[in-house]
Amino acid sequence: MRLSAFTVLLPILSYLDGATAWGAVGHEVVATIAQMYLHPTVLPKLCEILDFAPGECHIASVATWADQHRMQMRWSASLHYVGALDDYPSKTCAFPGSRGWAGSRQINVLDGIRNTSSLLQGWVNHDVNDDVAEEALKFLIHFVGDMHQPLHLTGRDRGGNSVKVRFGRRVTNLHSLWDGFLIAKAVREVPRNYSRPLPYPKVERALRGTIYDSYIRRLLWEGLLNPWATEAESWLGCPTPSTTDGSLSSSGLLGMMHNAYYYTGKLVQSIIKDGVEIIPDSDTICPYAWSKPIHELNCDLIWPKEIDEPPYNTVSFDDSFGHDHSHGDHEVFMEDESKSPLLNLDTPEYAGRVYREMIIEKLLAQGGIRLAGLLNYLFADYDEDTFGPRRPFITTLNV
Ligand SMILES: *[C@@H]1O[C@H](CO)[C@@H](O)[C@H](O)[C@H]1NC(C)=O
Ligand SMILES: *[C@@H]1O[C@H](CO)[C@@H](O)[C@H](O)[C@H]1NC(C)=O
């Protein structure tokens, strides 16, 4: 089949215009990195669940499924984020504040990770059917990506969707800037030497010939394989629960419900007044602990101080709970249509710092490592007698 220039160019343009990118590049980068670190017994099981022909199986190809089907699954919209109430002013950076979490009970990204993990554990134990497992796996791959977009962890201004900003000549909002514009620019500016394969067969096998392959090689070479190599394992760790109550470590759906009840009844009710509770972390799967430092980026970096001061603080403030954003449907204007001045974030202090400190690359790397860790934990053939208690782990790229 011959592809016209149009069919070839269209996906490239929509990737790079920035409007869809944590909806596409970000999610697919996370899944591609995860695929590199899977235990050899895991990918065949994922391919079976996803009903891929062997040899054509890549988890990145389903990484945006949950966004693409958002309209048909309106019930799932609030599963893509968690809104911490009262998590600003930035000084305290509460996660969440005293009123807890916005939204409905168990309908948020952190609980979604626990829920889908439990369902997949059920599939391994033959308690859950293939269709349910397929949906759960596609959601899990997506949720781990969403959890590593810091603006999916705050309830402020609908996750930044209500905050108009400028990025160079373009007008967008803070959420879209982090979903797409910053990644798109980073992808465009990868040095040419990364178009050559890296001497790691596992890396090259997981790359799919996309426009962001070079970006992933750079993330690995300048991040995961070098400065972050020693800390990557620690991204999978969970804090030991501070209570000695053994119920915190129980796993599976029933254990999860029990824990939620335990916390609601005994501990959290006295603290949280208006908000909902989330499922407490277990000692092997701990989305709350993993997301806490990611949320802190909102306070340290993502919300520029100027946004709270004149003249930029005049942008209308919308305190509704939901993020209510749909990927690919962001406001992107070439011309500034509003009268109020807009803060430009394509500056050395803002975008420059994000690039210098490899902030986005590190988030994507953490997402990839955690997704691999969870999938290995759930699916790897694993001998507990030899290796000790099962927990999330990754394989090395050095073979
Ligand atoms: C749990 O996952 C299942 C399957 O994907 C979904 O139908 C259900 O709505 C989810 N529930 C929560 C609370 O996330
Ligand atoms: C690519 O070039 C940069 C300098 O522009 C260098 O720091 C990096 O190590 C090179 N990467 C590879 C894989 O050779």
Side-chain angles (χ1 to χ4, degrees):
M1 186 182 65
R2 278 187 66 159
L3 295 174
S4 70
F6 184 71
T7 43
V8 176
L9 271 178
L10 195 64
I12 295 176
L13 289 176
S14 59
Y15 268 130
L16 283 186
D17 86 356
T20 58
W22 215 290
V25 176
H27 282 286
E28 291 175 12
V29 168
V30 165
T32 302
I33 294 168
Q35 181 136 332
M36 296 171 188
Y37 287 90
L38 292 178
H39 187 270
T41 58
V42 172
L43 191 60
K45 293 179 195 170
L46 305 182
C47 303
E48 182 192 339
I49 293 174
L50 297 172
D51 214 9
F52 275 115
E56 290 174 16
C57 179
H58 204 299
I59 58 173
S61 57
V62 297
T64 59
W65 169 88
D67 278 338
Q68 285 160 3
H69 295 80
R70 238 172 142 107
M71 288 304 155
Q72 296 99 294
M73 305 188 293
R74 298 210 76 99
W75 57 270
S76 74
S78 320
L79 280 169
H80 294 243
Y81 56 86
V82 64
L85 292 173
D86 306 319
D87 62 342
Y88 63 101
S90 304
K91 270 209 181 72
T92 48
C93 206
F95 185 60
S98 56
R99 288 189 300 149
W101 307 92
S104 316
R105 204 163 167 272
Q106 293 195 18
I107 308 295
N108 64 73
V109 68
L110 304 180
D111 291 349
I113 289 172
R114 295 293 298 280
N115 176 31
T116 49
S117 298
S118 299
L119 289 167
L120 291 169
Q121 210 157 38
W123 180 85
V124 171
N125 299 330
H126 308 289
D127 295 332
V128 163
N129 73 36
D130 291 354
D131 291 342
V132 172
E134 179 178 353
E135 187 174 287
L137 179 56
K138 290 180 192 166
F139 270 123
L140 177 62
I141 293 166
H142 189 80
F143 291 159
V144 174
D146 277 341
M147 188 184 85
H148 289 79
Q149 209 285 44
L151 287 165
H152 279 240
L153 302 174
T154 178
R156 183 177 182 185
D157 295 349
R158 294 167 55 237
N161 277 289
S162 309
V163 179
K164 262 193 188 177
V165 296
R166 186 184 279 287
F167 192 63
R169 281 174 40 248
R170 309 184 82 183
V171 174
T172 181
N173 66 63
L174 196 59
H175 191 101
S176 300
L177 182 77
W178 279 82
D179 259 358
F181 284 82
L182 288 166
I183 299 183
K185 189 173 174 190
V187 169
R188 279 195 303 268
E189 295 183 352
V190 176
R192 279 173 189 276
N193 56 346
Y194 290 105
S195 56
R196 285 196 301 272
L198 291 178
Y200 290 85
K202 278 183 168 176
V203 169
E204 295 301 324
R205 237 181 289 132
L207 294 176
R208 298 182 300 158
T210 65
I211 49 160
Y212 50 80
D213 281 8
S214 306
Y215 178 66
I216 297 180
R217 290 195 188 99
R218 173 167 182 256
L219 180 160
L220 288 160
W221 191 255
E222 295 179 28
L224 269 174
L225 290 164
N226 286 301
W228 311 330
T230 46
E231 67 182 278
E233 196 89 30
S234 73
W235 299 341
L236 296 170
C238 292
T240 321
S242 50
T243 77
T244 50
D245 189 302
S247 70
L248 286 176
S249 63
S250 60
S251 53
L253 201 54
L254 283 178
M256 190 173 95
M257 296 306 181
H258 172 78
N259 285 347
Y261 176 76
Y262 170 84
Y263 255 59
T264 327
K266 302 249 174 71
L267 294 173
V268 172
Q269 216 161 44
S270 56
I271 312 165
I272 293 177
K273 294 289 189 284
D274 320 359
V276 295
E277 72 278 19
I278 60 170
I279 301 167
D281 282 346
S282 80
D283 57 5
T284 44
I285 303 184
C286 52
Y288 174 74
W290 292 334
S291 59
K292 204 167 163 38
I294 302 171
H295 171 264
E296 278 168 19
L297 288 171
N298 286 308
C299 313
D300 298 341
L301 163 75
I302 292 177
W303 297 81
K305 303 284 171 282
E306 294 90 333
I307 289 284
D308 297 320
E309 294 158 8
Y312 302 115
N313 61 350
T314 54
V315 181
S316 73
F317 173 64
D318 177 353
D319 196 22
S320 62
F321 287 162
H323 284 211
D324 196 24
H325 60 270
S326 50
H327 291 277
D329 194 21
H330 295 304
E331 298 169 275
V332 182
F333 311 104
M334 292 305 287
E335 295 288 326
D336 183 3
E337 293 168 350
S338 65
K339 297 279 173 289
S340 48
L342 294 178
L343 183 63
N344 178 24
L345 295 178
D346 195 4
T347 58
E349 298 75 34
Y350 193 90
R353 177 178 167 202
V354 171
Y355 294 136
R356 279 191 306 278
E357 298 181 13
M358 293 186 74
I359 307 259
I360 289 180
E361 290 72 29
K362 193 160 188 179
L363 289 166
L364 298 173
Q366 289 178 329
I369 294 293
R370 288 186 177 128
L371 180 56
L374 282 172
L375 295 173
N376 288 337
Y377 170 74
L378 293 167
F379 293 105
D381 294 341
Y382 182 92
D383 180 5
E384 303 206 7
D385 294 338
T386 315
F387 300 110
R390 182 186 277 265
R391 57 177 196 83
F393 71 98
I394 47 173
T395 58
T396 170
L397 295 185
N398 293 309
V399 276

